[in-house]
Amino acid sequence: MKEFGRWFEEQVVPTPPATDAAVPLLEDQLEALGLDLMKDGSVIGKCRSCGGDICWTDYLSVDEIVRDGVGEEMCGRNERCCP
């Protein structure tokens, strides 16, 4: 039988699982893209021409937005914003 000190030194200390802090929150990922996450789950961005709101989740899923981002689009609400 091994003495306790030797046995204790041979024990493998398990590494803790990766924390969620390593993965940025969805809000932080969207904020880095210049977008806002609303309470209802919609993602809002700004029109590059007039600064009006564009609801990106009307066109893309949140996963697509985080994975691919969104371009600098125009909202099309007035003549200045129509490409």
Side-chain angles (χ1 to χ4, degrees), residues 45-56 59 70-83:
K46 297 289 182 191
C47 172
R48 70 176 175 172
S49 180
C50 71
D53 291 338
I54 299 173
C55 183
W56 283 106
Y59 310 103
V70 296
E72 289 189 24
E73 301 295 329
M74 292 187 256
C75 64
R77 288 190 187 113
N78 60 41
E79 297 161 5
R80 187 174 71 179
C81 299
C82 291

PDB file of all heavy atoms in Angstrom, residues 45-56 59 70-83:
ATOM      1  N   GLY A  45     -30.487  47.604 -36.796  1.00  0.00           N
ATOM      2  CA  GLY A  45     -29.304  48.309 -37.265  1.00  0.00           C
ATOM      3  C   GLY A  45     -29.717  49.654 -37.823  1.00  0.00           C
ATOM      4  O   GLY A  45     -30.894  49.993 -37.862  1.00  0.00           O
ATOM      5  N   LYS A  46     -28.760  50.427 -38.271  1.00  0.00           N
ATOM      6  CA  LYS A  46     -29.021  51.767 -38.800  1.00  0.00           C
ATOM      7  C   LYS A  46     -28.817  51.815 -40.304  1.00  0.00           C
ATOM      8  O   LYS A  46     -27.907  51.187 -40.838  1.00  0.00           O
ATOM      9  CB  LYS A  46     -28.081  52.788 -38.144  1.00  0.00           C
ATOM     10  CG  LYS A  46     -28.263  52.922 -36.655  1.00  0.00           C
ATOM     11  CD  LYS A  46     -29.557  53.600 -36.330  1.00  0.00           C
ATOM     12  CE  LYS A  46     -29.700  53.773 -34.825  1.00  0.00           C
ATOM     13  NZ  LYS A  46     -31.015  54.176 -34.445  1.00  0.00           N
ATOM     14  N   CYS A  47     -29.648  52.587 -40.977  1.00  0.00           N
ATOM     15  CA  CYS A  47     -29.502  52.860 -42.400  1.00  0.00           C
ATOM     16  C   CYS A  47     -28.238  53.693 -42.600  1.00  0.00           C
ATOM     17  O   CYS A  47     -27.994  54.631 -41.848  1.00  0.00           O
ATOM     18  CB  CYS A  47     -30.725  53.620 -42.907  1.00  0.00           C
ATOM     19  SG  CYS A  47     -30.591  54.232 -44.600  1.00  0.00           S
ATOM     20  N   ARG A  48     -27.448  53.354 -43.593  1.00  0.00           N
ATOM     21  CA  ARG A  48     -26.196  54.093 -43.801  1.00  0.00           C
ATOM     22  C   ARG A  48     -26.437  55.491 -44.362  1.00  0.00           C
ATOM     23  O   ARG A  48     -25.571  56.338 -44.308  1.00  0.00           O
ATOM     24  CB  ARG A  48     -25.259  53.324 -44.712  1.00  0.00           C
ATOM     25  CG  ARG A  48     -25.719  53.262 -46.140  1.00  0.00           C
ATOM     26  CD  ARG A  48     -24.706  52.573 -47.000  1.00  0.00           C
ATOM     27  NE  ARG A  48     -25.242  52.435 -48.341  1.00  0.00           N
ATOM     28  CZ  ARG A  48     -24.558  52.022 -49.358  1.00  0.00           C
ATOM     29  NH1 ARG A  48     -23.312  51.682 -49.200  1.00  0.00           N
ATOM     30  NH2 ARG A  48     -25.108  51.913 -50.536  1.00  0.00           N
ATOM     31  N   SER A  49     -27.614  55.743 -44.898  1.00  0.00           N
ATOM     32  CA  SER A  49     -27.892  57.039 -45.497  1.00  0.00           C
ATOM     33  C   SER A  49     -28.584  57.995 -44.528  1.00  0.00           C
ATOM     34  O   SER A  49     -28.087  59.081 -44.272  1.00  0.00           O
ATOM     35  CB  SER A  49     -28.749  56.854 -46.746  1.00  0.00           C
ATOM     36  OG  SER A  49     -29.022  58.082 -47.343  1.00  0.00           O
ATOM     37  N   CYS A  50     -29.734  57.576 -43.989  1.00  0.00           N
ATOM     38  CA  CYS A  50     -30.502  58.493 -43.145  1.00  0.00           C
ATOM     39  C   CYS A  50     -30.397  58.192 -41.657  1.00  0.00           C
ATOM     40  O   CYS A  50     -30.847  58.984 -40.833  1.00  0.00           O
ATOM     41  CB  CYS A  50     -31.976  58.487 -43.549  1.00  0.00           C
ATOM     42  SG  CYS A  50     -32.864  56.967 -43.118  1.00  0.00           S
ATOM     43  N   GLY A  51     -29.838  57.045 -41.298  1.00  0.00           N
ATOM     44  CA  GLY A  51     -29.716  56.688 -39.882  1.00  0.00           C
ATOM     45  C   GLY A  51     -30.971  56.067 -39.306  1.00  0.00           C
ATOM     46  O   GLY A  51     -31.041  55.823 -38.111  1.00  0.00           O
ATOM     47  N   GLY A  52     -31.972  55.808 -40.151  1.00  0.00           N
ATOM     48  CA  GLY A  52     -33.202  55.169 -39.683  1.00  0.00           C
ATOM     49  C   GLY A  52     -32.963  53.712 -39.309  1.00  0.00           C
ATOM     50  O   GLY A  52     -31.955  53.109 -39.679  1.00  0.00           O
ATOM     51  N   ASP A  53     -33.894  53.152 -38.567  1.00  0.00           N
ATOM     52  CA  ASP A  53     -33.753  51.768 -38.112  1.00  0.00           C
ATOM     53  C   ASP A  53     -34.096  50.764 -39.204  1.00  0.00           C
ATOM     54  O   ASP A  53     -35.024  50.961 -39.978  1.00  0.00           O
ATOM     55  CB  ASP A  53     -34.670  51.511 -36.915  1.00  0.00           C
ATOM     56  CG  ASP A  53     -34.219  52.243 -35.670  1.00  0.00           C
ATOM     57  OD1 ASP A  53     -33.028  52.594 -35.597  1.00  0.00           O
ATOM     58  OD2 ASP A  53     -35.051  52.448 -34.765  1.00  0.00           O
ATOM     59  N   ILE A  54     -33.318  49.683 -39.241  1.00  0.00           N
ATOM     60  CA  ILE A  54     -33.590  48.532 -40.102  1.00  0.00           C
ATOM     61  C   ILE A  54     -33.681  47.329 -39.185  1.00  0.00           C
ATOM     62  O   ILE A  54     -32.762  47.059 -38.414  1.00  0.00           O
ATOM     63  CB  ILE A  54     -32.469  48.294 -41.129  1.00  0.00           C
ATOM     64  CG1 ILE A  54     -32.306  49.493 -42.058  1.00  0.00           C
ATOM     65  CG2 ILE A  54     -32.741  47.028 -41.930  1.00  0.00           C
ATOM     66  CD1 ILE A  54     -31.114  49.392 -42.997  1.00  0.00           C
ATOM     67  N   CYS A  55     -34.785  46.597 -39.239  1.00  0.00           N
ATOM     68  CA  CYS A  55     -34.950  45.392 -38.440  1.00  0.00           C
ATOM     69  C   CYS A  55     -34.391  44.212 -39.230  1.00  0.00           C
ATOM     70  O   CYS A  55     -35.038  43.686 -40.131  1.00  0.00           O
ATOM     71  CB  CYS A  55     -36.418  45.165 -38.086  1.00  0.00           C
ATOM     72  SG  CYS A  55     -36.664  43.734 -37.035  1.00  0.00           S
ATOM     73  N   TRP A  56     -33.166  43.798 -38.878  1.00  0.00           N
ATOM     74  CA  TRP A  56     -32.486  42.763 -39.639  1.00  0.00           C
ATOM     75  C   TRP A  56     -33.114  41.394 -39.485  1.00  0.00           C
ATOM     76  O   TRP A  56     -32.991  40.552 -40.361  1.00  0.00           O
ATOM     77  CB  TRP A  56     -31.011  42.709 -39.248  1.00  0.00           C
ATOM     78  CG  TRP A  56     -30.273  43.835 -39.882  1.00  0.00           C
ATOM     79  CD1 TRP A  56     -29.808  44.960 -39.284  1.00  0.00           C
ATOM     80  CD2 TRP A  56     -29.959  43.967 -41.265  1.00  0.00           C
ATOM     81  NE1 TRP A  56     -29.224  45.779 -40.205  1.00  0.00           N
ATOM     82  CE2 TRP A  56     -29.299  45.184 -41.431  1.00  0.00           C
ATOM     83  CE3 TRP A  56     -30.172  43.171 -42.382  1.00  0.00           C
ATOM     84  CZ2 TRP A  56     -28.842  45.627 -42.663  1.00  0.00           C
ATOM     85  CZ3 TRP A  56     -29.717  43.604 -43.610  1.00  0.00           C
ATOM     86  CH2 TRP A  56     -29.067  44.818 -43.734  1.00  0.00           C
ATOM     87  N   TYR A  59     -35.249  39.854 -42.175  1.00  0.00           N
ATOM     88  CA  TYR A  59     -34.611  39.309 -43.367  1.00  0.00           C
ATOM     89  C   TYR A  59     -33.682  38.131 -43.090  1.00  0.00           C
ATOM     90  O   TYR A  59     -33.505  37.275 -43.944  1.00  0.00           O
ATOM     91  CB  TYR A  59     -33.799  40.407 -44.071  1.00  0.00           C
ATOM     92  CG  TYR A  59     -34.595  41.658 -44.294  1.00  0.00           C
ATOM     93  CD1 TYR A  59     -34.419  42.773 -43.492  1.00  0.00           C
ATOM     94  CD2 TYR A  59     -35.555  41.716 -45.299  1.00  0.00           C
ATOM     95  CE1 TYR A  59     -35.167  43.929 -43.687  1.00  0.00           C
ATOM     96  CE2 TYR A  59     -36.308  42.863 -45.504  1.00  0.00           C
ATOM     97  CZ  TYR A  59     -36.107  43.963 -44.685  1.00  0.00           C
ATOM     98  OH  TYR A  59     -36.849  45.084 -44.881  1.00  0.00           O
ATOM     99  N   VAL A  70     -23.901  41.861 -41.355  1.00  0.00           N
ATOM    100  CA  VAL A  70     -24.805  42.531 -42.290  1.00  0.00           C
ATOM    101  C   VAL A  70     -24.010  43.634 -42.972  1.00  0.00           C
ATOM    102  O   VAL A  70     -23.055  44.136 -42.432  1.00  0.00           O
ATOM    103  CB  VAL A  70     -26.042  43.126 -41.574  1.00  0.00           C
ATOM    104  CG1 VAL A  70     -26.878  42.032 -40.952  1.00  0.00           C
ATOM    105  CG2 VAL A  70     -25.656  44.135 -40.521  1.00  0.00           C
ATOM    106  N   GLY A  71     -24.411  43.992 -44.133  1.00  0.00           N
ATOM    107  CA  GLY A  71     -23.707  45.051 -44.838  1.00  0.00           C
ATOM    108  C   GLY A  71     -24.175  46.414 -44.381  1.00  0.00           C
ATOM    109  O   GLY A  71     -24.972  46.551 -43.469  1.00  0.00           O
ATOM    110  N   GLU A  72     -23.651  47.430 -44.999  1.00  0.00           N
ATOM    111  CA  GLU A  72     -24.140  48.778 -44.752  1.00  0.00           C
ATOM    112  C   GLU A  72     -25.262  49.013 -45.748  1.00  0.00           C
ATOM    113  O   GLU A  72     -25.022  49.406 -46.883  1.00  0.00           O
ATOM    114  CB  GLU A  72     -23.025  49.799 -44.927  1.00  0.00           C
ATOM    115  CG  GLU A  72     -21.985  49.758 -43.834  1.00  0.00           C
ATOM    116  CD  GLU A  72     -21.036  50.924 -43.950  1.00  0.00           C
ATOM    117  OE1 GLU A  72     -21.395  51.953 -44.538  1.00  0.00           O
ATOM    118  OE2 GLU A  72     -19.915  50.779 -43.458  1.00  0.00           O
ATOM    119  N   GLU A  73     -26.456  48.741 -45.325  1.00  0.00           N
ATOM    120  CA  GLU A  73     -27.613  48.813 -46.211  1.00  0.00           C
ATOM    121  C   GLU A  73     -28.396  50.100 -46.000  1.00  0.00           C
ATOM    122  O   GLU A  73     -28.261  50.778 -44.996  1.00  0.00           O
ATOM    123  CB  GLU A  73     -28.528  47.609 -45.979  1.00  0.00           C
ATOM    124  CG  GLU A  73     -27.847  46.283 -46.211  1.00  0.00           C
ATOM    125  CD  GLU A  73     -27.429  46.061 -47.654  1.00  0.00           C
ATOM    126  OE1 GLU A  73     -28.110  46.573 -48.561  1.00  0.00           O
ATOM    127  OE2 GLU A  73     -26.426  45.382 -47.869  1.00  0.00           O
ATOM    128  N   MET A  74     -29.246  50.390 -46.980  1.00  0.00           N
ATOM    129  CA  MET A  74     -30.135  51.539 -46.893  1.00  0.00           C
ATOM    130  C   MET A  74     -31.557  51.047 -46.681  1.00  0.00           C
ATOM    131  O   MET A  74     -31.942  49.998 -47.198  1.00  0.00           O
ATOM    132  CB  MET A  74     -30.031  52.378 -48.159  1.00  0.00           C
ATOM    133  CG  MET A  74     -28.693  53.057 -48.284  1.00  0.00           C
ATOM    134  SD  MET A  74     -28.636  54.185 -49.666  1.00  0.00           S
ATOM    135  CE  MET A  74     -27.693  53.210 -50.806  1.00  0.00           C
ATOM    136  N   CYS A  75     -32.333  51.818 -45.928  1.00  0.00           N
ATOM    137  CA  CYS A  75     -33.671  51.377 -45.534  1.00  0.00           C
ATOM    138  C   CYS A  75     -34.699  51.520 -46.653  1.00  0.00           C
ATOM    139  O   CYS A  75     -35.709  50.834 -46.648  1.00  0.00           O
ATOM    140  CB  CYS A  75     -34.129  52.137 -44.296  1.00  0.00           C
ATOM    141  SG  CYS A  75     -34.337  53.915 -44.546  1.00  0.00           S
ATOM    142  N   GLY A  76     -34.508  52.436 -47.600  1.00  0.00           N
ATOM    143  CA  GLY A  76     -35.446  52.604 -48.697  1.00  0.00           C
ATOM    144  C   GLY A  76     -36.693  53.389 -48.334  1.00  0.00           C
ATOM    145  O   GLY A  76     -37.684  53.352 -49.051  1.00  0.00           O
ATOM    146  N   ARG A  77     -36.674  54.122 -47.225  1.00  0.00           N
ATOM    147  CA  ARG A  77     -37.850  54.863 -46.788  1.00  0.00           C
ATOM    148  C   ARG A  77     -38.049  56.176 -47.561  1.00  0.00           C
ATOM    149  O   ARG A  77     -39.141  56.698 -47.607  1.00  0.00           O
ATOM    150  CB  ARG A  77     -37.748  55.165 -45.308  1.00  0.00           C
ATOM    151  CG  ARG A  77     -37.931  53.951 -44.456  1.00  0.00           C
ATOM    152  CD  ARG A  77     -38.069  54.336 -42.978  1.00  0.00           C
ATOM    153  NE  ARG A  77     -38.063  53.109 -42.212  1.00  0.00           N
ATOM    154  CZ  ARG A  77     -37.098  52.749 -41.382  1.00  0.00           C
ATOM    155  NH1 ARG A  77     -36.072  53.544 -41.188  1.00  0.00           N
ATOM    156  NH2 ARG A  77     -37.162  51.615 -40.748  1.00  0.00           N
ATOM    157  N   ASN A  78     -36.986  56.713 -48.115  1.00  0.00           N
ATOM    158  CA  ASN A  78     -37.144  57.941 -48.879  1.00  0.00           C
ATOM    159  C   ASN A  78     -36.234  57.892 -50.114  1.00  0.00           C
ATOM    160  O   ASN A  78     -35.483  56.946 -50.300  1.00  0.00           O
ATOM    161  CB  ASN A  78     -36.860  59.179 -48.002  1.00  0.00           C
ATOM    162  CG  ASN A  78     -35.464  59.181 -47.431  1.00  0.00           C
ATOM    163  OD1 ASN A  78     -34.500  58.835 -48.098  1.00  0.00           O
ATOM    164  ND2 ASN A  78     -35.342  59.547 -46.169  1.00  0.00           N
ATOM    165  N   GLU A  79     -36.300  58.911 -50.945  1.00  0.00           N
ATOM    166  CA  GLU A  79     -35.533  58.920 -52.202  1.00  0.00           C
ATOM    167  C   GLU A  79     -34.030  58.817 -51.975  1.00  0.00           C
ATOM    168  O   GLU A  79     -33.313  58.193 -52.753  1.00  0.00           O
ATOM    169  CB  GLU A  79     -35.839  60.208 -52.975  1.00  0.00           C
ATOM    170  CG  GLU A  79     -37.282  60.308 -53.392  1.00  0.00           C
ATOM    171  CD  GLU A  79     -37.691  61.732 -53.730  1.00  0.00           C
ATOM    172  OE1 GLU A  79     -36.832  62.619 -53.737  1.00  0.00           O
ATOM    173  OE2 GLU A  79     -38.878  61.925 -53.998  1.00  0.00           O
ATOM    174  N   ARG A  80     -33.550  59.425 -50.920  1.00  0.00           N
ATOM    175  CA  ARG A  80     -32.127  59.407 -50.611  1.00  0.00           C
ATOM    176  C   ARG A  80     -31.652  57.996 -50.238  1.00  0.00           C
ATOM    177  O   ARG A  80     -30.491  57.665 -50.427  1.00  0.00           O
ATOM    178  CB  ARG A  80     -31.875  60.375 -49.448  1.00  0.00           C
ATOM    179  CG  ARG A  80     -30.450  60.592 -49.121  1.00  0.00           C
ATOM    180  CD  ARG A  80     -30.301  61.643 -48.074  1.00  0.00           C
ATOM    181  NE  ARG A  80     -30.778  61.125 -46.783  1.00  0.00           N
ATOM    182  CZ  ARG A  80     -30.761  61.796 -45.668  1.00  0.00           C
ATOM    183  NH1 ARG A  80     -30.328  63.037 -45.660  1.00  0.00           N
ATOM    184  NH2 ARG A  80     -31.189  61.260 -44.560  1.00  0.00           N
ATOM    185  N   CYS A  81     -32.567  57.184 -49.715  1.00  0.00           N
ATOM    186  CA  CYS A  81     -32.201  55.845 -49.231  1.00  0.00           C
ATOM    187  C   CYS A  81     -32.496  54.736 -50.245  1.00  0.00           C
ATOM    188  O   CYS A  81     -32.356  53.569 -49.909  1.00  0.00           O
ATOM    189  CB  CYS A  81     -32.945  55.534 -47.936  1.00  0.00           C
ATOM    190  SG  CYS A  81     -32.560  56.689 -46.630  1.00  0.00           S
ATOM    191  N   CYS A  82     -32.923  55.093 -51.438  1.00  0.00           N
ATOM    192  CA  CYS A  82     -33.179  54.074 -52.463  1.00  0.00           C
ATOM    193  C   CYS A  82     -31.941  53.932 -53.347  1.00  0.00           C
ATOM    194  O   CYS A  82     -31.502  54.912 -53.941  1.00  0.00           O
ATOM    195  CB  CYS A  82     -34.377  54.454 -53.328  1.00  0.00           C
ATOM    196  SG  CYS A  82     -35.926  54.384 -52.427  1.00  0.00           S
ATOM    197  N   PRO A  83     -31.371  52.742 -53.406  1.00  0.00           N
ATOM    198  CA  PRO A  83     -30.159  52.555 -54.224  1.00  0.00           C
ATOM    199  C   PRO A  83     -30.435  52.735 -55.701  1.00  0.00           C
ATOM    200  O   PRO A  83     -31.474  52.601 -56.194  1.00  0.00           O
ATOM    201  CB  PRO A  83     -29.719  51.148 -53.913  1.00  0.00           C
ATOM    202  CG  PRO A  83     -30.786  50.496 -53.129  1.00  0.00           C
ATOM    203  CD  PRO A  83     -31.769  51.541 -52.740  1.00  0.00           C
TER     204      PRO A  83
END
